[in-house]
Amino acid sequence: MQRKKLHKSTFVYLLLSICVVSLGIISYWILPNRFFFDAIIISEDFYNEKGFFRSYPVTMLFYEVTGLGHTPFPVVALIQLPVLLVVLYRIGIPARFANFTLRNVLVYICLLLLAFFISMPSKEFITFLFIAFIPFLLKNKRFRLITTVLLIFSGIVLFGIWFRSYFILIPVVALVIFSTSLVNFKQKVFAGIFSGLLLVIFLSLSYGFVKGEYLSQSTREELNEVRAGEEATNSVIISPVSTERWYGEVVGVFYGFVSVNVPLNGFRHILKPQILAFVLWQTVLMLYLLYLYQNCLRQRQRYKYEIWAFYLVFAYFIVQGVFEPDLGSAVKHKIGILPLIYFALYYDCFRKNIPV
């Protein structure tokens, strides 16, 4: 009987998976204490907040019911990380995954970051599992495109109502980016991003007009004021202009978007290599996704399902610019939507005509 040969790319993925799980297990002993602040709050539930709505109560309830909240963190890593790696495996491993290319290196880093951010009780574990339904819908093409998009939008809105409220903005921003891509702009990629930013600014100013406080002011800025001086805020994102005025909020939204996606201002942390590594990864990831999106736009009829991964990813990145308090949180939350980023990076699965 002929033996089935293990594909080289599958072997590399399995090897990386072993590294990720191993790193996740030992991360409890090697990571700084600030990496575990949220995990301790979730597992201990000091004020008995567990419940059925909002991210912290739901996550606390999940870890209480499953027993993982009372399990040593290395064991949590041993249980959680293989689940996430299997999800990505089921999305698919490209035939050229073993090749040393920029696209693959970005994904290798994403996988390793799982070990640092989801090797303990985490809201991102739940977010990751939810987001995974999107690439499966886009990949399988079992429904008409309009039905697929409506299912995705409905799922995200329900998830936003139930778990993370800012997710409700993602379909709205994605729809604006999609609409902009239909207009005959010379620079459709940047026009789409800019239109999404303008929409978020409009929504924030409208919110401020009704509530008396703009979105980034009431979330990112206020949180950073409370946390000022703490160890976990060494990469804090604070607008250079006060967000108490409308023009300050406009600057704050743009500044936040740049800070969490192309954080060149992070290079001021020249003596903190871990921050510089995050800055470099986020910058290259964003620029490369923009490059892939441009290529996908040129063949939008061929990839009419896959292109929605880009609309959603960039919509999320734009929304991040309003709410993220620091660079560390920005990276952690990107890892929470890794299935969608992974699918966007490999939108055509076996590209041969685009150099990497």
Side-chain angles (χ1 to χ4, degrees):
M1 188 171 70
Q2 189 176 9
R3 299 169 103 185
K4 191 173 182 180
K5 191 175 181 181
L6 184 65
H7 194 281
K8 182 170 65 172
S9 291
T10 303
F11 174 75
V12 169
Y13 185 81
L14 293 175
L15 193 63
L16 273 169
S17 298
I18 293 171
C19 292
V20 169
V21 175
S22 300
L23 273 175
I25 291 171
I26 67 173
S27 65
Y28 177 75
W29 293 284
I30 63 175
L31 290 178
N33 290 335
R34 64 178 178 272
F35 275 76
F36 301 97
F37 287 169
D38 270 4
I40 291 171
I41 291 172
I42 290 168
S43 58
E44 296 295 336
D45 189 10
F46 298 107
Y47 304 106
N48 193 27
E49 297 176 82
K50 68 178 72 68
F52 295 96
F53 293 99
R54 298 292 179 258
S55 57
Y56 268 117
V58 168
T59 307
M60 290 169 177
L61 181 63
F62 170 80
Y63 282 97
E64 175 70 24
V65 170
T66 59
L68 291 175
H70 306 292
T71 304
F73 289 176
V75 179
V76 173
L78 184 60
I79 295 171
Q80 287 188 168
L81 292 175
V83 172
L84 304 183
L85 291 163
V86 167
V87 168
L88 292 178
Y89 180 81
R90 295 299 300 168
I91 292 173
I93 308 300
R96 300 174 69 181
F97 185 79
N99 294 1
F100 192 77
T101 64
L102 177 58
R103 175 178 55 174
N104 289 339
V105 169
L106 284 170
V107 174
Y108 299 164
I109 295 171
C110 288
L111 293 177
L112 293 174
L113 288 174
L114 285 173
F116 300 125
F117 290 114
I118 318 188
S119 59
M120 68 284 286
S122 171
K123 292 181 286 186
E124 305 319 311
F125 181 67
I126 295 174
T127 302
F128 186 107
L129 294 179
F130 162 75
I131 286 293
F133 95 95
I134 300 175
F136 282 116
L137 276 177
L138 295 175
K139 177 185 174 185
N140 293 335
K141 303 182 179 68
R142 291 185 179 178
F143 307 102
R144 293 171 53 203
L145 179 59
I146 184 65
T147 304
T148 300
V149 173
L150 287 175
L151 285 172
I152 290 171
F153 280 9
S154 300
I156 293 175
V157 169
L158 290 174
F159 185 74
I161 294 170
W162 172 63
F163 195 74
R164 273 193 163 142
S165 56
Y166 65 82
F167 269 61
I168 297 173
L169 295 175
I170 295 174
V172 183
V173 179
L175 196 57
V176 168
I177 297 174
F178 160 71
S179 301
T180 305
S181 73
L182 300 178
V183 181
N184 191 24
F185 287 117
K186 189 173 182 180
Q187 295 291 337
K188 289 189 177 184
V189 172
F190 295 105
I193 301 298
F194 187 69
S195 66
L197 282 168
L198 288 181
L199 173 67
V200 169
I201 289 171
F202 171 77
L203 292 174
S204 180
L205 296 181
S206 301
Y207 180 86
F209 178 77
V210 174
K211 296 289 187 178
E213 200 173 38
Y214 303 116
L215 282 177
S216 72
Q217 179 192 0
S218 62
T219 54
R220 180 183 69 215
E221 302 296 328
E222 287 188 359
L223 176 60
N224 284 333
E225 286 179 12
V226 173
R227 303 191 310 163
E230 294 181 6
E231 183 185 8
T233 59
N234 53 4
S235 62
V236 66
I237 298 170
I238 298 179
S239 173
V241 181
S242 174
T243 54
E244 293 182 358
R245 302 288 184 181
W246 70 267
Y247 52 84
E249 179 68 3
V250 172
V251 173
V253 172
F254 275 104
Y255 182 80
F257 171 76
V258 172
S259 295
V260 300
N261 295 301
V262 193
L264 300 180
N265 53 341
F267 282 105
R268 68 181 183 273
H269 301 286
I270 191 67
L271 299 179
K272 297 175 180 176
Q274 74 278 12
I275 295 179
L276 290 180
F278 287 163
V279 166
L280 184 61
W281 173 77
Q282 286 190 109
T283 301
V284 176
L285 176 66
M286 180 64 176
L287 294 177
Y288 195 65
L289 282 169
L290 288 171
Y291 164 74
L292 292 178
Y293 174 45
Q294 185 176 45
N295 283 305
C296 192
L297 274 172
R298 291 172 182 158
Q299 305 178 72
R300 64 183 309 150
Q301 287 305 312
R302 181 180 179 185
Y303 298 112
K304 60 183 180 180
Y305 282 82
E306 292 82 354
I307 199 169
W308 278 95
F310 291 100
Y311 299 147
L312 293 165
V313 165
F314 290 131
Y316 181 81
F317 287 180
I318 290 170
V319 172
Q320 265 197 308
V322 178
F323 298 102
E324 294 296 359
D326 55 74
L327 294 180
S329 295
V331 175
K332 179 172 71 174
H333 294 151
K334 279 185 171 68
I335 297 305
I337 67 156
L338 181 54
L340 189 56
I341 294 174
Y342 180 88
F343 184 76
L345 284 169
Y346 294 120
Y347 76 95
D348 56 352
C349 294
F350 309 108
R351 265 182 308 143
K352 296 180 180 179
N353 58 329
I354 303 175
V356 290

Short mmCIF file of all heavy atoms in Angstrom, two decimals, residues 42 49-65 123 126 159 161-164:
data_model
loop_
_atom_site.label_atom_id
_atom_site.label_comp_id
_atom_site.label_asym_id
_atom_site.label_seq_id
_atom_site.Cartn_x
_atom_site.Cartn_y
_atom_site.Cartn_z
N ILE A 42 -10.24 38.29 34.47
CA ILE A 42 -11.23 37.35 33.93
C ILE A 42 -11.33 36.10 34.79
O ILE A 42 -12.44 35.63 35.11
CB ILE A 42 -10.85 36.97 32.47
CG1 ILE A 42 -11.06 38.18 31.55
CG2 ILE A 42 -11.68 35.77 31.99
CD1 ILE A 42 -10.45 38.00 30.18
N GLU A 49 -18.83 39.74 38.32
CA GLU A 49 -19.42 40.45 37.18
C GLU A 49 -19.90 39.51 36.08
O GLU A 49 -20.47 39.98 35.08
CB GLU A 49 -18.39 41.42 36.59
CG GLU A 49 -17.96 42.53 37.52
CD GLU A 49 -16.87 43.39 36.90
OE1 GLU A 49 -17.21 44.29 36.12
OE2 GLU A 49 -15.68 43.14 37.20
N LYS A 50 -19.64 38.24 36.19
CA LYS A 50 -19.97 37.31 35.11
C LYS A 50 -21.44 37.42 34.71
O LYS A 50 -22.32 37.65 35.56
CB LYS A 50 -19.62 35.88 35.49
CG LYS A 50 -20.45 35.29 36.60
CD LYS A 50 -20.06 33.85 36.89
CE LYS A 50 -18.74 33.73 37.58
NZ LYS A 50 -18.74 34.26 38.97
N GLY A 51 -21.69 37.31 33.41
CA GLY A 51 -23.06 37.45 32.93
C GLY A 51 -23.16 37.07 31.46
O GLY A 51 -22.24 36.48 30.89
N PHE A 52 -24.27 37.44 30.83
CA PHE A 52 -24.55 37.00 29.47
C PHE A 52 -24.38 38.09 28.42
O PHE A 52 -24.57 37.84 27.23
CB PHE A 52 -25.98 36.45 29.39
CG PHE A 52 -26.19 35.20 30.21
CD1 PHE A 52 -26.71 35.27 31.49
CD2 PHE A 52 -25.83 33.95 29.70
CE1 PHE A 52 -26.90 34.13 32.25
CE2 PHE A 52 -26.01 32.81 30.44
CZ PHE A 52 -26.54 32.88 31.72
N PHE A 53 -24.02 39.30 28.83
CA PHE A 53 -23.83 40.39 27.88
C PHE A 53 -22.57 41.17 28.21
O PHE A 53 -22.21 41.32 29.37
CB PHE A 53 -25.04 41.33 27.88
CG PHE A 53 -26.30 40.69 27.35
CD1 PHE A 53 -27.25 40.22 28.22
CD2 PHE A 53 -26.51 40.56 25.98
CE1 PHE A 53 -28.42 39.62 27.75
CE2 PHE A 53 -27.67 39.96 25.49
CZ PHE A 53 -28.62 39.49 26.38
N ARG A 54 -21.92 41.67 27.17
CA ARG A 54 -20.70 42.47 27.21
C ARG A 54 -19.49 41.55 27.41
O ARG A 54 -19.56 40.49 28.00
CB ARG A 54 -20.75 43.57 28.28
CG ARG A 54 -21.86 44.59 28.04
CD ARG A 54 -21.55 45.41 26.79
NE ARG A 54 -22.60 46.39 26.52
CZ ARG A 54 -23.54 46.26 25.60
NH1 ARG A 54 -23.61 45.14 24.89
NH2 ARG A 54 -24.42 47.21 25.39
N SER A 55 -18.35 42.03 26.90
CA SER A 55 -17.18 41.17 26.74
C SER A 55 -16.64 40.61 28.05
O SER A 55 -16.40 39.39 28.16
CB SER A 55 -16.08 41.93 26.00
OG SER A 55 -15.74 43.12 26.68
N TYR A 56 -16.44 41.46 29.06
CA TYR A 56 -15.88 40.94 30.31
C TYR A 56 -16.83 39.95 31.01
O TYR A 56 -16.41 38.83 31.35
CB TYR A 56 -15.52 42.09 31.25
CG TYR A 56 -14.09 42.56 31.11
CD1 TYR A 56 -13.80 43.85 30.71
CD2 TYR A 56 -13.02 41.69 31.39
CE1 TYR A 56 -12.48 44.28 30.57
CE2 TYR A 56 -11.71 42.11 31.26
CZ TYR A 56 -11.44 43.41 30.84
OH TYR A 56 -10.14 43.83 30.70
N PRO A 57 -18.10 40.31 31.24
CA PRO A 57 -19.00 39.35 31.90
C PRO A 57 -19.13 38.03 31.15
O PRO A 57 -19.10 36.95 31.76
CB PRO A 57 -20.34 40.10 31.94
CG PRO A 57 -19.96 41.54 31.94
CD PRO A 57 -18.75 41.63 31.07
N VAL A 58 -19.27 38.09 29.81
CA VAL A 58 -19.42 36.87 29.02
C VAL A 58 -18.15 36.02 29.12
O VAL A 58 -18.22 34.79 29.28
CB VAL A 58 -19.73 37.21 27.55
CG1 VAL A 58 -19.60 35.96 26.67
CG2 VAL A 58 -21.12 37.79 27.42
N THR A 59 -16.99 36.66 29.00
CA THR A 59 -15.72 35.93 29.06
C THR A 59 -15.54 35.30 30.44
O THR A 59 -15.10 34.15 30.56
CB THR A 59 -14.55 36.86 28.74
OG1 THR A 59 -14.79 37.52 27.50
CG2 THR A 59 -13.25 36.07 28.63
N MET A 60 -15.87 36.06 31.47
CA MET A 60 -15.78 35.51 32.84
C MET A 60 -16.68 34.30 33.00
O MET A 60 -16.29 33.29 33.60
CB MET A 60 -16.16 36.59 33.86
CG MET A 60 -15.15 37.71 33.99
SD MET A 60 -15.81 39.09 34.95
CE MET A 60 -14.38 40.18 35.02
N LEU A 61 -17.90 34.40 32.45
CA LEU A 61 -18.84 33.28 32.54
C LEU A 61 -18.32 32.07 31.77
O LEU A 61 -18.41 30.93 32.26
CB LEU A 61 -20.21 33.70 32.00
CG LEU A 61 -21.31 32.65 32.05
CD1 LEU A 61 -21.63 32.26 33.49
CD2 LEU A 61 -22.57 33.16 31.34
N PHE A 62 -17.76 32.31 30.59
CA PHE A 62 -17.23 31.22 29.77
C PHE A 62 -16.13 30.46 30.52
O PHE A 62 -16.13 29.22 30.57
CB PHE A 62 -16.67 31.78 28.46
CG PHE A 62 -15.89 30.79 27.64
CD1 PHE A 62 -16.54 29.86 26.85
CD2 PHE A 62 -14.50 30.78 27.69
CE1 PHE A 62 -15.81 28.93 26.10
CE2 PHE A 62 -13.76 29.85 26.95
CZ PHE A 62 -14.42 28.93 26.15
N TYR A 63 -15.20 31.21 31.10
CA TYR A 63 -14.09 30.55 31.79
C TYR A 63 -14.51 29.92 33.11
O TYR A 63 -13.88 28.96 33.58
CB TYR A 63 -12.93 31.53 31.99
CG TYR A 63 -12.13 31.72 30.71
CD1 TYR A 63 -12.38 32.80 29.87
CD2 TYR A 63 -11.18 30.79 30.33
CE1 TYR A 63 -11.67 32.96 28.69
CE2 TYR A 63 -10.47 30.94 29.15
CZ TYR A 63 -10.72 32.02 28.33
OH TYR A 63 -10.03 32.16 27.14
N GLU A 64 -15.60 30.42 33.70
CA GLU A 64 -16.14 29.80 34.90
C GLU A 64 -16.82 28.48 34.55
O GLU A 64 -16.59 27.45 35.21
CB GLU A 64 -17.14 30.77 35.57
CG GLU A 64 -17.87 30.19 36.76
CD GLU A 64 -16.97 30.00 37.97
OE1 GLU A 64 -15.94 30.70 38.07
OE2 GLU A 64 -17.30 29.14 38.81
N VAL A 65 -17.66 28.50 33.52
CA VAL A 65 -18.41 27.31 33.13
C VAL A 65 -17.49 26.20 32.63
O VAL A 65 -17.69 25.02 32.95
CB VAL A 65 -19.47 27.67 32.06
CG1 VAL A 65 -20.09 26.41 31.46
CG2 VAL A 65 -20.55 28.57 32.65
N LYS A 123 -10.43 37.53 26.19
CA LYS A 123 -11.59 37.87 25.36
C LYS A 123 -11.31 37.56 23.90
O LYS A 123 -12.22 37.28 23.12
CB LYS A 123 -11.93 39.36 25.54
CG LYS A 123 -12.46 39.72 26.91
CD LYS A 123 -12.81 41.19 27.01
CE LYS A 123 -11.58 42.06 27.09
NZ LYS A 123 -11.91 43.49 27.32
N ILE A 126 -12.56 34.16 22.40
CA ILE A 126 -13.95 34.14 21.94
C ILE A 126 -14.08 34.91 20.63
O ILE A 126 -14.77 34.46 19.70
CB ILE A 126 -14.87 34.73 23.02
CG1 ILE A 126 -14.84 33.84 24.27
CG2 ILE A 126 -16.30 34.89 22.50
CD1 ILE A 126 -15.59 34.41 25.46
N PHE A 159 -22.97 40.09 17.22
CA PHE A 159 -21.80 39.93 18.07
C PHE A 159 -21.49 41.25 18.78
O PHE A 159 -21.10 41.25 19.95
CB PHE A 159 -20.61 39.47 17.24
CG PHE A 159 -19.38 39.16 18.06
CD1 PHE A 159 -19.31 38.00 18.81
CD2 PHE A 159 -18.29 40.02 18.06
CE1 PHE A 159 -18.18 37.70 19.56
CE2 PHE A 159 -17.15 39.73 18.81
CZ PHE A 159 -17.09 38.57 19.56
N ILE A 161 -23.66 43.66 19.54
CA ILE A 161 -24.68 43.89 20.57
C ILE A 161 -24.42 43.01 21.79
O ILE A 161 -24.55 43.46 22.94
CB ILE A 161 -26.09 43.59 20.00
CG1 ILE A 161 -26.42 44.61 18.90
CG2 ILE A 161 -27.14 43.62 21.09
CD1 ILE A 161 -27.69 44.27 18.12
N TRP A 162 -24.02 41.77 21.53
CA TRP A 162 -23.84 40.79 22.61
C TRP A 162 -22.50 40.92 23.32
O TRP A 162 -22.42 40.84 24.55
CB TRP A 162 -23.99 39.38 22.04
CG TRP A 162 -23.65 38.27 22.98
CD1 TRP A 162 -24.29 37.96 24.15
CD2 TRP A 162 -22.59 37.31 22.85
NE1 TRP A 162 -23.69 36.88 24.75
CE2 TRP A 162 -22.65 36.46 23.97
CE3 TRP A 162 -21.60 37.10 21.88
CZ2 TRP A 162 -21.75 35.40 24.16
CZ3 TRP A 162 -20.71 36.05 22.05
CH2 TRP A 162 -20.79 35.21 23.18
N PHE A 163 -21.43 41.16 22.55
CA PHE A 163 -20.08 41.02 23.12
C PHE A 163 -19.27 42.31 23.07
O PHE A 163 -18.87 42.83 24.10
CB PHE A 163 -19.35 39.90 22.37
CG PHE A 163 -18.11 39.40 23.06
CD1 PHE A 163 -18.21 38.60 24.19
CD2 PHE A 163 -16.84 39.72 22.59
CE1 PHE A 163 -17.08 38.12 24.83
CE2 PHE A 163 -15.70 39.24 23.21
CZ PHE A 163 -15.82 38.43 24.34
N ARG A 164 -19.02 42.84 21.87
CA ARG A 164 -18.18 44.04 21.75
C ARG A 164 -18.90 45.08 20.91
O ARG A 164 -19.02 44.95 19.69
CB ARG A 164 -16.83 43.69 21.11
CG ARG A 164 -15.82 43.24 22.14
CD ARG A 164 -14.43 43.21 21.56
NE ARG A 164 -13.46 43.17 22.63
CZ ARG A 164 -12.33 42.48 22.60
NH1 ARG A 164 -12.04 41.75 21.55
NH2 ARG A 164 -11.48 42.54 23.60
#
